Amino acid sequence: MWKPNQFNFSRRPSTTVFIGHLALGGKNPVRVQSMANTDTNDIENSVAQCIRIVEAGGEIVRFTTQGIREAESIGKIHTLLHQQGYTVPMVADIHFNANAADVASRNVEKVRINPGNYIGSIKIGDNSDYTDLEFETEYQKIRARFIPFLNICKENNTAIRIGVNHGSLSERMMNRYGDTSRGMLESCMEFLHICKEQNFDSVVISMKTSNTVMMVQTVRLLVDELEQKDLHYPLHLGVTEAGDSEDGRIKSAVGIGALLIDGIGDTIRVSLSEEPEVEIPVGKILVEYIFQRENSKSIQAIESNKLSRYEYHRRQTYKVGNIGGENVPVVIASACGKHAIAPDYILCVDKVFSAYGEMFTIYNVHEINDLDADESEIKFLNLSFSDLNETIIDTLKKRTDTVILLQTIHDNGVGEQRAFFHTLFNADCTTPVIICRNYTENELQYLQIKAAADLGVLYIDGFGDGIFIVNIGTITVEEINSVAFGILQASRVRISKTEFISCPGCGRTMFKLQTVIANIKARTSHLKGLKIGIMGCIVNGPGEMADADYGYVGAGRGKVSLYKKKECLERNIPESEAVEKLIDIIKLNGDWHE
C-alpha cells in the first residue's frame, strides 16, 4: 500500500484513464486544465475562448452544462474545434440535471458530475434526521439513476469525474456527517462503489473546498481510504473560489502545491477570478517547480508518530517575546520599506530589529555556546537539518530564549525542513522555529507560486512560528513582504487583511464577475480579518460561503442575493444596488470601520 514519503518525493501510483486521446494518471505528466467562463450556448465565443486556453497550454477544457440545450451546444463546440484542428478533450460540468449528463456524455470525452446535487433529496423541506431506511432509500435512488448514465459512458468511451465540492454536499450527507471531510469522503465513496460494481473504471476524482487546510486534509483522507481498498483512480486537484491576483495564486499554490509535494495529483485546475487562459501558466509553473525535486538527494529522517496528516494541530513551542506559544506566526522582512502590512521584524546583516527598535543578534551553529553571554530577550540561531545532532538538540532543550531560523539549500527544501520538524518532535524539543526560504526570481508571479508551495504545506502540517523570505532579484521588499503575509493567510494561520473568496466564473455567472470583485475590493479591503464571498451562482455559493462572514451571490440575470454566513438577508436585488446593500449589511452588523 502506497503512503506519502514525508521527506522524499514519491508520486502516488494511479491507474491511467483516457480522456479522449489524452492519457491521464499513471506515469503521465500532471495535466493542466481550465474551465471556460463563456455562455455555453454562445458557440462562437466559446470556441474562441477554448482556442485561447489551448494555445496557452491547456490540455483539457471544461464547460458548464446546466441543461439539455447546453449539453447539445457543447457538442457543437466540440465539432467546430475539431474542424479547426483542435482536438483538446472537453468536459461537461453537470450540476442538478442528470438528464443533461446523459446527453453530454455522447458529445464530449468526459463528464463531471457532483454527487451533492446529481439527483434531488427524498426529504425536500424536511430537516429531520435521516433514518437508516431513508438514507438507504436515497442511495438506491441515486444508484438507479447513475447506472444508466454509466452505461451511456461505456458505449461512448466517455470518462467521468466524481467531483465532490464542500460547498454543495447533499442534505443527506450533511445530515449524517455534518460539514466535514468525512461527509465529502462518504459522498465520493458511494458513487465509486457503484462504478466499481458496474465495472466502470474510467473515473477521475476531485475533492474541493475554498479552505486550503480542509482541502489538503480531505484529499489525504481520500487517498488513505483508496489505498486501503486497493483503488488507484487518478485525482484532480483544485482550490475552489481561490480569488484573483496575488491572493488567488498564493491560495492555489498552497493547497494544490501541498498535495503535489506529497506526490498526490494527476491533473490540476487553478481557479482564478480572471480570464481562464491566465490559469494555465500558473498551473504549469507550479507543476514544473514541484517536479524539480523528483530526483533530489535522499533525506534520511524518522517520521514522528505524534503528528496527524488529517487534522490540524499546531506544534507546541515555548513563548519568547512575541514568537512561539499562542502567538500568530511572525513575519521578518529583509529591509525597511513602505509596507502595506508592517512586518514584525527587520533583518539587517546579522541583526534582527523588532518593530519597537529592539536589536537581537543572529548566531550560527558553531557559535551556539555564545548564547549564554547574550542577555537580550531573544537569541536567533541559524540552523539547518544537517546541523542537528544530540548535542545541539540537548542544548536547545535546556533553553527557553532561543528562536531557530530554519535554513535549507536542499533541492527538496520542503522535505528537508519537514525532517527538521519531525526530528524536533521525536526529541520533545519545543524551540520556536521561523521557516526561511531563499529565491532568485525577477517575476513576482514565480515568487508567489514557488514560495506558497514551499511554505504553505509546512504551516498546514502545523509547523512554523514565523516566516522569512529572501529573494535576490528585482522584486521589491514590499512585494516580498506581501507574499509572506499572503502565505500565512492562505494557510489560515494568520489573518492580516480582508479575505475574498471569489469563484472563477463560468457560463452560469449572470454578471461581470471581475468588475464586481474589483468594486467590492475597492470598498472593503480595509476590513481586516473579514471574509467576503463573491459567487457567480448558487451551485457552490452558499456552501463555500459558509466559511465567509458575508456573501454576494448571483441569483439570475442582473439579480443578486446577499448573505450573512449561510443566512440569505436580501434576495434578487438589482445588481446596480447590490454592492451598496452589502456594505449596509456589514455596517448594520457592526463589522464596518472607516
Side-chain angles (χ1 to χ4, degrees), residues 197-335:
E197 172 193 281
Q198 297 299 311
N199 296 312
F200 185 87
D201 297 323
S202 296
V203 178
V204 181
I205 307 170
S206 67
M207 310 281 267
K208 294 189 180 183
T209 170
S210 63
N211 179 326
T212 54
V213 178
M214 184 178 186
M215 174 256 192
V216 170
Q217 292 170 346
T218 302
V219 175
R220 287 174 174 174
L221 193 67
L222 168 70
V223 168
D224 187 59
E225 184 84 5
L226 293 176
E227 289 298 319
Q228 288 184 40
K229 296 183 182 303
D230 197 27
L231 302 174
H232 310 286
Y233 299 106
L235 300 181
H236 169 126
L237 306 181
V239 178
T240 60
E241 286 75 51
D244 65 352
S245 192
E246 176 171 273
D247 291 341
R249 285 157 177 76
I250 289 176
K251 195 171 186 180
S252 294
V254 166
I256 299 171
L259 291 165
L260 289 177
I261 285 167
D262 281 357
I264 296 168
D266 302 282
T267 180
I268 70 168
R269 190 266 174 116
V270 175
S271 298
L272 299 178
S273 300
E274 302 174 31
E275 291 305 306
E277 58 267 29
V278 175
E279 298 175 348
I280 300 302
V282 177
K284 287 189 171 294
I285 292 167
L286 179 59
V287 170
E288 182 180 341
Y289 181 61
I290 298 301
F291 275 78
Q292 286 176 2
R293 63 204 74 195
E294 194 168 16
N295 297 309
S296 57
K297 184 179 178 181
S298 179
I299 298 162
Q300 302 300 315
I302 298 173
E303 184 175 342
S304 175
N305 59 11
K306 302 173 185 177
L307 301 170
S308 170
R309 299 175 63 253
Y310 315 114
E311 296 178 285
Y312 175 79
H313 296 288
R314 185 177 174 185
R315 172 177 170 260
Q316 291 186 347
T317 61
Y318 60 73
K319 174 181 174 293
V320 49
N322 65 341
I323 303 174
E326 299 299 318
N327 292 300
V328 296
V330 299
V331 174
I332 300 179
S334 59

Side-chain angles (χ1 to χ4, degrees), residues 55 66 73 109 129-130 185 230 253 273 290 307 344-345 399-400 402:
E55 291 181 344
Q66 302 99 303
S73 292
E109 290 85 355
D129 287 346
Y130 274 77
L185 176 64
D230 197 27
S273 300
I290 298 301
L307 301 170
D344 302 283
Y345 294 89
R399 310 194 66 89
T400 58
T402 304

